[in-house]
Amino acid sequence: MTQPRDLQTVSIVGLGALGILFGGQLAQALGPEQVRVVAGAARAERYRQEGVEMDGATVPFTYLTPEDTPAPADLVLVCVKFHQLEAVRPLIASQLGPDTLIVSALNGISSESVLAEWFGPERLVYAVAQEMDARKEGRRLIYRDRGQLVIGAMTQDKAETERVERVAELFRRTHFPHTVVDDMPRRLWGKWMLNVGVNQTVALYRGTFATVQAEGEARDTFKAAMREVLALSAHAGTGLTKDDFRYWLRVMDGLDPAAKPSLAQDLEAGRPTELELFAGTVIRLGREYGVPTPVNERLYAGIRALEVQASVSSSGTSVSSNK
């Protein structure tokens, strides 16, 4: 049986902060012909005209539409928000050949199962994006910490392990920051546990990472929300422990105090948030397993109220501006 060739071409779907951060590092190593950003016609043309900037320079991407894609990619890196996944399904499909692999850098514990249902589990390499604090301002990427992608197999299946190794080889060759782990279900749930705590608490308290790094009510809420995920893990069989809890606290405490997580950024900008991916999923699993989730229920209600308030304010501004 012919072995798949080394991964050479990468397609980025989603050019937000993570798309620029991770795609930009690959483009600098592989060159613009090998790393392409796939978008609809209008968006692709705007990117061609304006570009995006990282580290003070324009990132050397090639911008393509599905229609002008010359050949399938070896790897598709998906960097959208979860609620955008359905919309970019055709973009992902346009990049696939027989051996194309897919890596999702999305938050949460659900995107890989959705992608596997659409495109086949034999394409998936599970990943967790962690330790970065990037945000996009206009066409510029702002960050202090680049973070990394953690990849690994969810099972002992040889084919899955080989897929992980193919991606790891690309990352080693391009000096892309990454770690390969042998406990991916635990790592996936650990990062989700952190996101449940930090994304929602910072958003509700209208703060920054510093809000949950300092002792006080907000940090207590942040940790309590995480503990509810820890309790769920025992029922889900994903193996989270108190050591994992402490590990993710250390990760959080090492991030730029002035930065903000994505849910807080989205809430401030009036964009749809990933609340359902965090508290929504915790509450659903809590009901399924019979585990109380009062902290996430409070976070869910509070952030929903802020979303409604932001929507009303936006509508009011829109009406007054038309007078």
Side-chain angles (χ1 to χ4, degrees):
M1 183 176 178
T2 303
Q3 292 296 316
R5 70 188 182 96
D6 289 344
L7 304 179
Q8 301 289 338
T9 57
V10 181
S11 287
I12 309 297
V13 177
L15 202 58
L18 289 191
I20 300 173
L21 180 68
F22 293 143
Q25 293 176 77
L26 290 169
Q28 289 167 356
L30 293 172
E33 297 302 318
Q34 303 301 99
V35 181
R36 60 257 190 124
V37 172
V38 187
R43 189 182 296 269
E45 183 57 31
R46 186 172 79 248
Y47 287 149
R48 291 187 192 108
Q49 296 296 323
E50 300 176 359
V52 292
E53 187 177 299
M54 173 179 167
D55 297 332
T58 298
V59 181
F61 286 133
T62 293
Y63 298 102
L64 298 175
T65 66
E67 293 75 21
D68 59 20
T69 298
D74 296 324
L75 175 68
V76 177
L77 181 57
V78 184
C79 297
V80 297
K81 300 291 177 63
F82 186 78
H83 56 264
Q84 300 169 322
L85 201 53
E86 179 68 46
V88 301
R89 180 176 177 177
L91 300 181
I92 299 170
S94 73
Q95 303 303 297
L96 301 182
D99 298 316
T100 306
L101 300 181
I102 300 173
V103 169
S104 168
L106 275 66
N107 285 325
I109 55 174
S110 305
S111 65
E112 282 91 352
S113 62
V114 173
L115 292 166
E117 181 180 348
W118 289 347
F119 305 118
E122 70 279 1
R123 296 189 183 277
L124 267 291
V125 172
Y126 279 72
V128 168
Q130 66 178 69
E131 300 164 48
M132 62 281 166
D133 53 21
R135 67 186 187 277
K136 186 179 178 183
E137 292 185 357
R139 60 185 292 272
R140 295 173 59 238
L141 183 75
I142 309 296
Y143 71 94
R144 190 193 74 174
D145 301 311
R146 289 194 177 202
Q148 62 170 323
L149 276 178
V150 177
I151 60 174
M154 295 290 283
T155 69
Q156 299 300 313
D157 179 69
K158 180 180 178 182
E160 184 182 11
T161 302
E162 289 174 349
R163 294 197 299 273
V164 172
E165 177 53 31
R166 291 183 68 203
V167 174
E169 189 281 328
L170 168 68
F171 288 170
R172 288 192 296 268
R173 178 161 35 94
T174 56
H175 304 288
F176 183 89
H178 73 285
T179 301
V180 180
V181 297
D182 58 8
D183 59 349
M184 198 63 200
R186 180 176 158 195
R187 183 65 66 116
L188 198 68
W189 265 63
K191 173 61 188 306
W192 180 56
M193 175 175 66
L194 175 64
N195 274 332
V196 164
V198 67
N199 266 276
Q200 300 183 129
T201 305
V202 172
L204 185 63
Y205 283 81
R206 300 295 189 98
T208 65
F209 286 142
T211 306
V212 296
Q213 289 169 337
E215 295 299 330
E217 179 184 319
R219 185 171 177 86
D220 291 342
T221 300
F222 156 62
K223 292 193 290 187
M226 289 175 62
R227 287 193 182 99
E228 290 182 352
V229 176
L230 190 63
L232 291 171
S233 175
H235 295 266
T238 53
L240 288 183
T241 67
K242 291 181 179 179
D243 285 342
D244 295 304
F245 181 86
R246 289 187 285 267
Y247 166 80
W248 288 103
L249 284 183
R250 290 194 298 272
V251 169
M252 176 66 255
D253 290 343
L255 295 178
D256 182 358
K260 297 179 181 181
S262 58
L263 195 150
Q265 295 177 41
D266 290 340
L267 186 64
E268 290 181 0
R271 297 187 294 261
T273 73
E274 293 182 308
L275 182 61
E276 290 296 337
L277 199 62
F278 300 138
T281 303
V282 172
I283 294 167
R284 177 178 59 79
L285 290 177
R287 290 170 180 163
E288 179 180 340
Y289 297 137
V291 174
T293 58
V295 177
N296 275 278
E297 289 167 19
R298 178 168 68 86
L299 288 166
Y300 187 95
I303 294 169
R304 272 285 178 255
L306 290 175
E307 290 178 332
V308 171
Q309 183 181 32
S311 176
V312 170
S313 299
S314 176
S315 298
T317 301
S318 177
V319 170
S320 64
S321 67
N322 289 329
K323 289 182 179 178

